[in-house]
Amino acid sequence: MSKVIAVFGAGTGLGVSVARRFGREGFRVALVARRKDRLDALAEKLADEGIEATAFPADLSQPAGVPALVEAIRDRFDRIDVIEYGPISTSQSFTPAAALDAVTLEGLLPLLLLTPVEVVRAVLPEWTERGDGAFLLAEGYSAAQPMPHLSGLGPVMAATRNYLHSLHAELAGAGVYVGVLTIASLIARSEATAAAQAAFESAADGPHFPVVDPDDLAEHYWNMYTERDRVEQFHPASLTPRAAA
């Protein structure tokens, strides 16, 4: 039976590139995001390329819904071998640390921390019993390298990064791989990038960020999954933070 990857936060950027990259290796694909119309369009596009994909509309900002969602994917495919978690909302934005408050953090926690934890809890029994499985998560560079004015998202993603590094060490002996892809750029073809670029262009002195092709990031994921020799991959690699002396 062919393996299954569930892409959480499937969209026109990284999500579909990951689905396509793993699909080329024979994986069947579960596409998870809020908007059914967009998911159906992505599934149809993948089917035209010979990749079996099914849409599972779900609001990933609701951690309580994760067990039923995972069970629905299992009911359709009989198994889950890989999770790729990378949802991002166009409503999310950075906050200066001096302006950060508890309400802002509470709004970010479900999608970026609580739901990933619940997804792991839902799939881990299957993976440990089988002795194989992989959880891959994409996050922004501020999770690993704090920067002025780029707080809010950074602290929450840093908590998730801490959790995944610990999880990687705990599960390596059980055959379960946990990997973090930390990205210091915008992602081409994604709705979040389009919104960010529009905002930047409207400001005369707005910031300018590099843009990466999501196919390149999907290749990172495939290498991480197959090689399993590192807990974290930075893109670009030149921005990998140095360990403290």
Side-chain angles (χ1 to χ4, degrees), residues 54-212:
T54 302
F56 294 86
D59 184 354
L60 295 176
S61 68
Q62 302 295 323
V66 166
L69 170 61
V70 169
E71 192 59 33
I73 296 172
R74 281 205 193 97
D75 286 346
R76 169 65 180 81
F77 290 112
D78 296 323
R79 60 189 291 149
I80 301 172
D81 297 273
V82 180
I83 297 284
E84 190 274 322
Y85 191 92
I88 189 71
S89 169
T90 54
S91 65
Q92 293 172 342
S93 60
F94 290 104
T95 303
L100 189 60
D101 57 21
V103 172
T104 300
L105 289 174
E106 286 173 351
L108 296 169
L109 282 172
L111 185 66
L112 299 180
L113 176 59
L114 304 183
T115 295
V117 170
E118 287 301 298
V119 171
V120 170
R121 285 172 53 84
V123 298
L124 197 53
E126 175 187 354
W127 290 356
T128 52
E129 180 179 357
R130 187 186 303 140
D132 187 34
F135 185 86
L136 307 169
L137 181 139
E139 65 181 9
Y141 187 64
S142 63
Q145 184 62 61
M147 292 172 281
H149 307 291
L150 298 182
S151 192
L153 287 169
V156 176
M157 290 189 297
T160 307
R161 179 175 181 260
N162 178 291
Y163 161 71
L164 293 174
H165 273 252
S166 298
L167 194 65
H168 173 87
E170 293 174 12
L171 297 178
V176 178
Y177 173 70
V178 177
V180 183
L181 178 58
T182 301
I183 306 163
S185 62
L186 299 175
I187 300 174
R189 302 192 292 277
S190 75
E191 291 185 359
T193 290
Q197 289 176 322
F200 298 157
E201 290 171 0
S202 66
D205 58 347
H208 297 279
F209 294 97
V211 179
V212 61

Side-chain angles (χ1 to χ4, degrees), residues 9-18 20 42 187-191 214-215:
T12 57
L14 180 57
V16 72
S17 289
V18 171
R20 185 175 288 119
L42 292 177
I187 300 174
R189 302 192 292 277
S190 75
E191 291 185 359
D215 292 348

